Amino acid sequence: MSAARPAFSSALAHALKDALIAGIVAFGLFILLLGFLTDDQRGPLRLLSRPVLLASAVGIVFAGRFIVSVIYHYAAALRYWLALIWSMVCGAAIKFKWPLLAIMLIFAVIRIYYAPQTWPLTAVAVATVFIAVRFGLSAAFLMLAVLFPVAFYDNPYFLGIAIIALTYIMLGWGLNIVVGLAGLLDLGYVAFYAVGAYSYAIIAQTYGWSFWVCLPLAGLFAAFFGILLGFPVLRLRGDYLAIVTLAFGEIVRIVLLNWVTFTNGPNGIGSIPRASFFGIPFTAGDDGFAARFGLEFDPTHRTVFLFYVILALALLTNWVTIRLRKLPVGRAWEALREDEIAVRSLGINPTNTKLTAFAIGAMFGGFAGAFFATRQGFISPDSFTFPESALILAIVVLGGMGSQLGVAIAAIVVTASFELFREFEQFRLVIFGFGMVVIMVWRPRGLVSTRDPTAYLKERKTISVEHVAEGRG
Amino acid sequence: MEYFLQQSINGIALGSIYGLVAIGYTMVYGIIGMINFAHGDIFMVGTFIALIAFLILVAIGVTAIPLALFLVLLIAMLLTSLYGWAVERIAYRPLRGSFRLAPLISAIGMSIVLQNYVQLAQGARVKTLQPLVSGVHTLFDLGNRLVVQISNIQILIILTTLALMSGFTWLISATSLGRDMRACEQDLKMATLLGVDTDRTISLTFLIGAALASVAGMMYLLYYGVIDFHIGFVAGVKAFTAAVLGGIGSLPGAMLGGLLIGLIETYWSAYFSVQYKDVAAFSILIVVLIFMPTGILGKPEVEKV
Amino acid sequence: MSGTPILSLNALTMRFGGLLAIDDLSFEAKRGDITALIGPNGAGKTTVFNCITGFYRPTSGSIRVTRDDGKVFALEKLPDFKIAQRVHVARTFQNIRLFAGMTALENLLVAQHNTLMRKSGYTVFGLFGTPGYRSAEREAIELARHWLAKTQLIERADDPAGSLPYGAQRRLEIARAMCTNPVLLCLDEPAAGLNPRESDELNTLLRSIKNETPASILLIEHDMNVVMEISDRVIVLDHGKKISEGTPAFVRNDQKVIAAYLGVEEDAVDQAEAEVRA
């Protein structure tokens, strides 16, 4: 702090220079692709020029780089003040924890008084905050998840987003076993998702078995595919494994696209049997869910049911992962990520160990796929492209590899931001891609980058990230 | 037989394009040990830049095809290499020496950005360019419609690739930049200690890789005449397969791998099925990596215990 | 059983391309002994270790381990992890290979993988935490505690291995190898980088392993204090060949050994000695 900072004018000159260079580069980058539009609406290809677009794009880069340079110049000071303010806020929040909670409670009571119809939402919000203060973030998350349909029963749109978010949480947790724990880089995870979805759709349609029979079968099929793929490729290291899994994912997609007799090709499979409440369908008829339980028919019943199904599946994934980490097989996964040669020197079969990680990860991917199929009622190869794999991997890496809570937060952030940017439909993938770059530059090890030991003699100490390896494949 | 010969010529032309893209993968992998995931999309950007540059030249009255093609080549190399440089500067350089997965993820992010940027800027529709270089030479004519032909565009592709490859080999083996690049490939840290400007060398590597990819992109545009924002992904995976097949880190290997992949893909489409031609390329990748992970011309790797 | 060979190498040869790293090497290590393998840098000592533990497949020759129960294993035919799993040969590494992000205790639990795996019913019982598995895990932690105490690491049990000081990491690697219940413990330069006090403690530790456990020890070492003080038998390698073998006292005075270490021909040593005497 006390170190002499260059004068403001010199900082400004520096930033201006940076911005100028960036502007020139941006001009070079954009002149053809943004400055002109190839148009083939009428007849042969012709060019339209777009000088205004070009100028504004270059202008944005120039201004953006200028602002970033200035901020960067004062980064140390800025960080200092932000940290100070943050610690003061946190300190105050902890010190006046109970008064603050009391004030919140009063506000909640007032809100319920004036807007009685929204009481579930208010109550859930208050309960979540209390749980977070008393039992920590994970417990609050769990509680919020369980009570979510209560709070948002009137809002099918929110419920729908929550179901998508939970699907990604489950996929993220499934892939986390492979990438985060075992350190095997899998770029084709979506293949197992696809295998799960298609095997569910085909089994359910052909044999008419119920969701609860088809779901485990879909998981088993996906696990079987995991072993089938894993057996030959798991001796490959790091990047090679990544590319091979990517290739495998593409092969699965191309086969789904072209094996028309079996998968109906690009048209996909429609009218997949919907999940029923243990045999009772969610229909308006006399034998429907609503009629049987003496309720008025409401399509939200099905949504709420689906919500709890995916929540249960996700929690199952979480529970199994947490248990496995404390078992020899889970410790062997993490050891493998740290040092494969040492693992071999201790008499652990590396191939089998990797294979179990691959198969279990694939199985949860398959479960998620089956759920996806029954929720959508329609699947086609378009849902299982490489960007989907990249998205799931991004969730795992952004969350912090190996951290269950981090992966859950990342999945929620990614799904929510996708929804927020829905209005900018065309821009959102560009923004998403840049987001991946920025977060990697900002936190290469993800949001939660500590590791919890799986056993302890005296006390459980979290392990900081600098010691933890990330695997070579 | 003549069918086979014809397919071989087609395969070599296609393989030259893959080879040029593969060099970008192999160089970057050789020096900083990462798969430059966005390289396929740099190739795609190259096709678009070449297309627009050509249309501009036509609009301002440069109609002599050879001159126009030469100018397009220069513009495409220049502007595409700028993309290569920018991608490295934004997404990879801040992560140098960071955890291995971080640059891979940011590369995937960059790949998504480039694809959607081009889609935004130029639309999702397929762009078609009428053939510019026409004319075919008949090599063999066995009568009865059994002919083996080579088209001018195929000759152009093969000659350009040969010229670029010799120029590039000279660059690597005889210039001080080439020496710096080889030093960085051997040992990045040691090269830094000995005063090689590694940041500059790596930047130049990305620049050169992108320039070669843009030439491949231009050839692709001339050869097929149809491009869209999506071609980078599959072309990239195939070019990467070529790099691995030839032995990653090896420049002649990348070219050889490119030719082999081009030939295999062409034969596969000709004799088996067009729908599964990508499956052929991907399967080769898997088989090569499993049974021959160092490729044809790569150096064997002894596991250090 | 004591005094019979536990490990015997016969005509072992290892070739890397044109380089002959081990040339027709034969020797035996006796049960219950500490056998030291010494030699100048590049003599092929670590290569011998890598052949014994299966990380390299020898070009020719045989490696036999005869266990206490009389079972004989041909190591040159087994893959690396099976040598550790079935024959119970454990090793440490010249450049320490710990699981740096896992705690010291976890490192020792990973070493007991195969036992725990069986006890956890290959994960099925473990998943539901059956009492059988729980008691097995308690036993595993007890064994880990025993070796942590032996290696004076009990205070650091819950710290990540990567945060331990160098000497402690070396000791932890030995503890980890011992947790696999080895019949043969191969130590690759255990004293490298240790200060004199630590290297004395290492001597004590190795002696107690020799006297209190069934493990025989094969040791690569440069630190002659360690070698001379604790080994029962010394084998000297140079350029992949055995040039001398015997008790520490014998080897110390062997002309060939001195020549190899000083890098001169044998008669040059004689000559030098003559000159000194004159």
Side-chain angles (χ1 to χ4, degrees):
Chain A
M1 261 316 284
S2 56
R5 282 201 308 275
F8 183 66
S9 60
S10 111
L12 217 56
H14 203 77
L16 213 57
K17 193 183 132 212
D18 280 353
L20 214 60
I21 294 172
I24 292 168
V25 171
F27 181 74
L29 292 178
F30 295 151
I31 176 157
L32 291 189
L33 286 174
L34 287 185
F36 295 91
L37 174 66
T38 49
D39 179 45
D40 56 357
Q41 297 289 338
R42 289 172 294 274
L45 218 51
R46 63 203 183 94
L47 275 184
L48 301 174
S49 68
R50 296 185 291 194
V52 178
L53 181 66
L54 175 63
S56 26
V58 172
I60 289 170
V61 171
F62 177 84
R65 175 71 216 187
F66 181 76
I67 293 166
V68 168
S69 287
V70 171
I71 291 176
Y72 196 75
H73 187 77
Y74 293 102
L78 216 61
R79 208 172 291 147
Y80 174 82
W81 285 108
L82 282 178
L84 194 69
I85 294 167
W86 179 243
S87 70
M88 277 166 66
V89 169
C90 288
I94 290 166
K95 196 168 176 190
F96 303 110
K97 180 163 72 176
W98 297 115
L100 281 172
L101 286 175
I103 293 171
M104 188 189 71
L105 209 57
I106 293 167
F107 269 108
V109 170
I110 295 172
R111 188 181 149 84
I112 289 176
Y113 182 78
Y114 283 104
Q117 70 281 9
T118 62
W119 73 265
L121 178 58
T122 317
V124 170
V126 170
T128 308
V129 174
F130 267 96
I131 298 280
V133 171
R134 183 69 187 78
F135 299 104
L137 217 51
S138 303
F141 257 119
L142 182 63
M143 147 116 183
L144 184 63
V146 171
L147 294 181
F148 195 88
V150 177
F152 292 101
Y153 185 80
D154 316 335
N155 198 334
Y157 170 69
F158 263 41
L159 279 178
I161 295 173
I163 289 174
I164 296 171
L166 279 170
T167 313
Y168 280 111
I169 289 177
M170 176 165 178
L171 286 168
W173 278 342
L175 184 60
N176 194 25
I177 295 174
V178 182
V179 181
L181 294 183
L184 303 166
L185 188 47
D186 183 353
L187 285 181
Y189 191 62
V190 81
F192 306 126
Y193 190 41
V195 168
Y198 270 88
S199 39
Y200 173 80
I202 290 167
I203 295 171
Q205 271 196 340
T206 317
Y207 299 100
W209 294 342
S210 86
F211 176 73
W212 299 106
V213 178
C214 297
L215 178 80
L217 285 177
L220 282 180
F221 263 110
F224 174 70
F225 259 73
I227 292 172
L228 212 64
L229 163 72
F231 203 72
V233 307
L234 282 175
R235 74 184 90 167
L236 299 174
R237 65 190 166 75
D239 298 335
Y240 280 7
L241 180 69
I243 285 292
V244 166
T245 50
L246 185 153
F248 178 75
E250 281 299 298
I251 289 177
V252 167
R253 193 178 63 82
I254 296 170
V255 169
L256 291 179
L257 211 52
N258 289 301
W259 192 3
V260 178
T261 49
F262 193 58
T263 65
N264 202 19
N267 298 326
I269 299 179
S271 60
I272 299 165
R274 298 297 198 135
S276 58
F277 188 78
F278 304 99
I280 307 172
F282 288 94
T283 52
D286 283 343
D287 57 349
F289 176 80
R292 289 278 190 92
F293 288 84
L295 301 166
E296 203 173 317
F297 175 74
D298 185 343
T300 312
H301 289 158
R302 187 213 300 278
T303 319
V304 171
F305 175 69
L306 285 175
F307 179 91
Y308 281 116
V309 168
I310 186 67
L311 180 64
L313 286 173
L315 289 178
L316 175 75
T317 314
N318 188 35
W319 179 78
V320 169
T321 311
I322 289 174
R323 289 294 309 163
L324 287 178
R325 263 197 80 207
K326 295 183 179 171
L327 289 175
V329 65
R331 290 205 190 100
W333 290 340
E334 291 201 76
L336 208 55
R337 176 191 70 201
E338 300 280 329
D339 195 325
E340 183 177 335
I341 287 174
V343 162
R344 273 150 51 190
S345 84
L346 296 174
I348 302 172
N349 183 334
T351 315
N352 286 356
T353 309
K354 289 178 183 175
L355 222 48
T356 50
F358 230 63
I360 292 174
M363 182 181 76
F364 288 122
F367 285 159
F371 175 79
F372 177 78
T374 188
R375 181 178 75 92
Q376 297 282 52
F378 166 79
I379 49 169
S380 78
D382 285 347
S383 305
F384 308 105
T385 52
F386 170 70
E388 199 72 7
S389 284
L391 178 68
I392 304 166
L393 182 66
I395 286 172
V396 174
V397 177
L398 300 185
M401 298 198 312
S403 157
Q404 297 292 96
L405 183 61
V407 169
I409 294 173
I412 292 169
V413 167
V414 166
T415 325
S417 55
F418 253 64
E419 284 307 314
L420 285 179
F421 289 121
R422 191 169 281 286
E423 285 172 43
F424 313 97
E425 180 67 37
Q426 314 134 318
F427 291 100
R428 71 174 177 173
L429 277 172
V430 175
I431 295 170
F432 174 69
F434 263 122
M436 278 167 82
V437 175
V438 168
I439 292 183
M440 278 302 101
V441 172
W442 172 53
R443 292 198 81 142
R445 290 306 287 264
L447 299 170
V448 180
S449 50
T450 52
R451 179 183 171 271
D452 263 330
T454 60
Y456 59 97
L457 275 190
K458 292 196 188 67
E459 55 168 328
R460 189 180 290 277
K461 303 175 185 167
T462 38
I463 295 169
S464 97
V465 69
E466 73 235 41
H467 300 299
V468 181
E470 55 175 337
R472 307 183 315 136
Chain B
M1 184 63 200
E2 59 294 323
Y3 187 61
F4 178 79
L5 278 177
Q6 184 63 57
Q7 294 307 328
S8 306
I9 292 171
N10 298 348
I12 287 171
L14 180 64
S16 304
I17 294 175
Y18 288 149
L20 285 176
V21 183
I23 288 174
Y25 280 108
T26 240
M27 280 199 309
V28 168
Y29 195 93
I31 291 184
I32 53 177
M34 72 168 277
I35 298 170
N36 178 10
F37 221 91
H39 191 61
D41 298 291
I42 294 280
F43 159 81
M44 178 273 297
V45 166
T47 62
F48 271 84
I49 287 179
L51 173 68
I52 298 172
F54 179 77
L55 292 176
I56 291 176
L57 286 175
V58 170
I60 61 173
V62 182
T63 44
I65 296 288
L67 177 65
L69 286 184
F70 183 68
L71 288 176
V72 168
L73 188 75
L74 286 186
I75 296 171
M77 284 175 84
L78 191 75
L79 293 184
T80 312
S81 57
L82 201 58
Y83 273 90
W85 179 84
V87 166
E88 195 271 336
R89 187 68 191 78
I90 294 170
Y92 306 153
R93 192 184 293 181
L95 288 169
R96 197 157 305 147
S98 178
F99 301 100
R100 180 178 58 82
L101 270 184
L104 187 77
I105 297 289
S106 80
I108 292 173
M110 231 39 223
S111 156
I112 295 175
V113 168
L114 285 175
Q115 272 185 35
N116 290 282
Y117 154 71
V118 171
Q119 184 192 0
L120 262 181
Q122 298 295 332
R125 287 164 59 95
V126 167
K127 309 282 172 194
T128 327
L129 184 71
Q130 74 281 20
L132 295 174
V133 185
S134 51
V136 289
H137 305 280
T138 301
L139 296 180
F140 306 100
D141 191 344
L142 306 167
N144 200 14
R145 286 192 296 134
L146 297 176
V147 285
V148 179
Q149 294 178 321
I150 185 165
S151 62
N152 278 333
I153 176 71
Q154 287 173 330
I155 295 174
L156 180 71
I157 289 173
I158 292 166
L159 286 183
T160 313
T161 305
L162 277 177
L164 277 173
M165 276 310 293
S166 2
F168 187 67
T169 311
W170 171 80
L171 182 88
I172 294 292
S173 55
T175 64
S176 69
L177 169 65
R179 198 175 55 223
D180 287 355
M181 284 165 77
R182 279 178 288 140
C184 289
E185 194 202 331
Q186 292 283 320
D187 190 336
L188 197 60
K189 213 176 264 171
M190 195 63 207
T192 317
L193 291 175
L194 292 175
V196 175
D197 186 346
T198 44
D199 272 349
R200 183 175 146 273
T201 311
I202 292 169
S203 276
L204 283 169
T205 308
F206 275 86
L207 224 101
I208 294 168
L212 293 177
S214 78
V215 177
M218 180 185 158
M219 300 300 164
Y220 183 94
L221 176 69
L222 293 175
Y223 195 36
Y224 291 103
V226 183
I227 57 171
D228 65 30
F229 71 98
H230 215 81
I231 55 173
F233 176 66
V234 171
V237 174
K238 285 181 192 161
F240 181 77
T241 309
V244 173
L245 180 61
I248 197 138
S250 152
L251 296 172
M255 210 55 235
L256 180 68
L259 289 177
L260 284 175
I261 291 288
L263 284 170
I264 291 166
E265 189 185 323
T266 313
Y267 293 146
W268 187 283
S269 311
Y271 293 103
F272 297 104
S273 94
V274 184
Q275 281 114 342
Y276 286 104
K277 73 180 163 105
D278 291 349
V279 172
F282 293 134
S283 311
I284 291 162
L285 174 68
I286 296 177
V287 169
V288 168
L289 279 177
I290 292 168
F291 294 105
M292 213 169 44
T294 52
I296 299 170
L297 298 179
K299 285 166 267 171
E301 200 171 292
V302 178
E303 187 172 48
K304 294 253 175 21
V305 177
Chain C
M1 282 301 278
S2 169
T4 54
I6 178 154
L7 171 77
S8 52
L9 272 67
N10 196 4
L12 186 74
T13 300
M14 179 80 211
R15 201 184 285 278
F16 295 107
L19 178 78
L20 194 60
I22 308 174
D23 185 5
D24 195 27
L25 175 70
S26 306
F27 71 81
E28 285 181 345
K30 293 216 164 53
R31 197 175 308 278
D33 271 7
I34 296 181
T35 309
L37 200 57
I38 67 169
N41 285 328
K45 305 180 297 281
T46 299
T47 308
V48 172
F49 260 42
N50 285 340
C51 288
I52 294 173
T53 51
F55 284 92
Y56 293 162
R57 178 124 320 167
T59 313
S60 64
S62 71
I63 307 167
R64 296 279 176 277
V65 163
T66 315
R67 275 203 328 218
D68 289 356
D69 54 13
K71 261 196 178 155
V72 183
F73 294 89
L75 301 195
E76 75 276 8
K77 292 194 183 110
L78 288 173
D80 44 27
F81 72 90
K82 284 202 173 141
I83 290 176
Q85 189 182 42
R86 295 210 190 137
V87 194
H88 287 271
V89 175
R91 72 171 289 177
T92 65
F93 296 89
Q94 199 174 341
N95 352 325
I96 304 170
R97 284 184 176 276
L98 287 167
F99 307 123
M102 304 174 87
T103 64
L105 176 68
E106 284 179 301
N107 269 272
L108 302 194
L109 292 179
V110 172
Q112 302 175 55
H113 178 85
N114 290 317
T115 322
L116 283 173
M117 203 65 183
R118 262 193 313 279
K119 294 280 172 55
S120 74
Y122 298 89
T123 305
V124 180
F125 300 156
L127 203 55
F128 299 103
T130 56
Y133 173 68
R134 283 191 200 177
S135 74
E137 194 178 25
R138 270 196 301 278
E139 279 165 31
I141 290 179
E142 276 317 305
L143 182 63
R145 192 198 296 274
H146 169 76
W147 282 108
L148 285 168
K150 273 273 194 214
T151 49
Q152 293 145 39
L153 290 168
I154 204 89
E155 291 305 313
R156 305 298 301 266
D158 298 321
D159 288 327
S163 74
L164 300 178
Y166 190 79
Q169 293 196 9
R170 283 243 175 259
R171 294 202 301 277
L172 182 58
E173 227 194 353
I174 296 175
R176 186 178 69 181
M178 286 312 295
C179 278
T180 63
N181 293 324
V183 295
L184 178 66
L185 176 65
C186 302
L187 302 171
D188 199 345
E189 298 200 22
L194 300 190
N195 63 35
R197 191 176 57 81
E198 286 175 324
S199 114
D200 278 348
E201 286 168 5
L202 177 73
N203 286 351
T204 319
L205 175 66
L206 295 188
R207 273 207 201 95
S208 85
I209 290 176
K210 175 187 165 182
N211 295 330
E212 294 161 23
T213 76
S216 315
I217 296 178
L218 182 66
L219 164 88
I220 293 178
E221 193 44 74
H222 274 303
D223 185 331
M224 285 304 144
N225 285 333
V226 174
V227 173
M228 295 303 155
E229 210 167 300
I230 64 166
S231 43
D232 300 296
R233 200 166 177 76
V234 180
I235 290 147
V236 191
L237 287 191
D238 190 24
H239 295 299
K241 284 193 173 109
K242 182 169 79 181
I243 56 168
S244 179
E245 182 177 3
T247 61
F250 169 79
V251 165
R252 190 183 356 221
N253 296 317
D254 189 339
Q255 295 297 314
K256 284 192 211 144
V257 178
I258 298 169
Y261 270 89
L262 295 179
V264 285
E265 296 300 321
E266 235 175 283
D267 29 323
V269 176
D270 293 338
Q271 200 184 334
E273 274 185 1
E275 277 168 19
V276 171
R277 280 195 202 101

